[in-house]
Amino acid sequence: MNPTKNIIIAIDGYSSTGKSTLAKHIAREMGYVYVDTGAMYRAVTYYAMINGFIDENHFDKKGLITSLSEIDLSFEFNKKLGYAEIFLNGENVEPFIRSMNVSNRVSQVAAVPEVRQKLVEHQQKMALKKGIVMDGRDIGTVVFPEAELKIFMTASAEQRAKRRHKEMVDNGVDIDYQSVLENVMSRDHLDTTRTDSPLVKAADAIEIDNSEMNVDETYALAMSYVKEKFLEI
Ligand code: DC
């Protein structure tokens, strides 16, 4: 598709609903920039872990907030992979931010208003020229309430845990299904109940429940909404 206009496409939803796969695919098709905001929250969590602000038993929120000015996040496009990788203070942290340790702590870090404020400002700056597909939890509600197209992704917790488990096992991670399901459900709870920018469907978002859909079917449905939008504007 050759878009005549640059728009903002916001893709929000529950974890492991295939948001990033879908967002990457749409961005490639449209020649748009793709931004994975979950990677930004994960990178801040990784920073908090390696600097001793968070572990299994404690979270030094104040310490992390004081150090936020020391955190520089940037994205660099990797031609081979076909998407941008995230850098934390100049270091490519992609290999570290998808671990279970980070996954188990990221919702706590993402609930800190000061963290959110810093990352939301960064995200808004990245879209000044539009032509962007951004995925996360609050893109259509907080980051870009004026986004031209908002998609909200959902699927059953069991189906999402099954997919995440397979992805991890395929990547050589030794983990049982039950632990993944527990992580998915605990993140759902934390993400939807936090006070600042909880995960909620924007009133004008189109919902896609892909419990019974594969990646190609999800993409085809989403692209039909993109095309409809381009006919409207
Ligand atoms: O999309 P993900 O699973 O990589 O996101 C990791 C966590 O970051 C998720 O549990 C919630 C949080 N997050 C958020 O609060 N706001 C966003 N815009 C993106 C992610």
Side-chain angles (χ1 to χ4, degrees):
M1 199 175 149
N2 188 11
T4 47
K5 207 172 167 193
N6 277 344
I7 65 167
I8 294 178
I9 302 177
I11 302 185
D12 289 304
Y14 290 92
S15 62
S16 301
T17 44
K19 293 187 301 292
S20 62
T21 304
L22 175 65
K24 269 181 217 159
H25 203 157
I26 296 177
R28 206 179 315 129
E29 174 67 18
M30 311 272 293
Y32 276 15
V33 170
Y34 161 61
V35 178
D36 173 359
T37 63
M40 299 171 78
Y41 288 93
R42 286 173 179 275
V44 174
T45 305
Y46 178 68
Y47 173 92
M49 284 164 62
I50 58 177
N51 287 283
F53 295 125
I54 192 166
D55 63 27
E56 245 171 283
N57 309 310
H58 94 297
F59 179 19
D60 175 7
K61 248 187 241 178
K62 270 198 181 145
L64 175 62
I65 292 168
T66 310
S67 298
L68 281 177
S69 58
E70 308 292 317
I71 300 179
D72 176 60
L73 298 179
S74 56
F75 285 93
E76 263 182 44
F77 191 77
N78 180 324
K79 263 193 188 163
K80 243 189 187 164
L81 296 173
Y83 59 86
E85 294 180 292
I86 192 157
F87 284 66
L88 166 65
N89 295 335
E91 184 196 359
N92 182 345
V93 290
E94 282 288 337
F96 315 118
I97 61 168
R98 318 271 167 201
S99 73
M100 213 51 192
N101 275 342
V102 172
S103 297
N104 283 334
R105 294 167 179 74
V106 63
S107 289
Q108 274 175 279
V109 172
V112 178
E114 289 82 354
V115 170
R116 303 203 69 84
Q117 193 190 340
K118 177 182 169 94
L119 298 192
V120 168
E121 278 170 17
H122 190 159
Q123 289 151 11
Q124 289 170 337
K125 276 189 197 142
M126 280 191 275
L128 289 178
K129 291 189 200 145
K130 298 201 173 187
I132 201 159
V133 186
M134 194 172 276
D135 80 347
R137 304 294 189 286
D138 59 342
I139 311 305
T141 49
V142 175
V143 185
F144 302 120
E146 307 299 329
E148 285 84 353
L149 180 63
K150 300 178 187 177
I151 293 176
F152 188 84
M153 310 268 295
T154 181
S156 72
E158 289 74 18
Q159 193 57 255
R160 290 184 285 128
K162 220 163 108 184
R163 289 175 193 159
R164 178 57 67 102
H165 181 244
K166 181 178 181 314
E167 191 181 287
M168 294 179 91
V169 170
D170 288 350
N171 286 325
V173 182
D174 179 23
I175 185 148
D176 60 291
Y177 166 78
Q178 198 55 33
S179 309
V180 179
L181 178 62
E182 276 163 24
N183 174 259
V184 162
M185 295 201 321
S186 120
R187 281 207 285 150
D188 284 358
H189 178 71
L190 289 167
D191 293 344
T192 51
T193 56
R194 69 176 173 230
T195 322
D196 189 351
S197 320
L199 169 63
V200 53
K201 177 177 171 279
D204 52 350
I206 300 167
E207 183 168 321
I208 296 181
D209 180 336
N210 66 6
S211 302
E212 306 296 332
M213 276 184 226
N214 65 27
V215 172
D216 291 340
E217 289 164 340
T218 305
Y219 172 68
L221 180 60
M223 276 312 285
S224 71
Y225 296 133
V226 173
K227 284 176 189 154
E228 247 173 54
K229 183 52 65 179
F230 272 95
L231 288 177
E232 263 173 51
I233 55 176

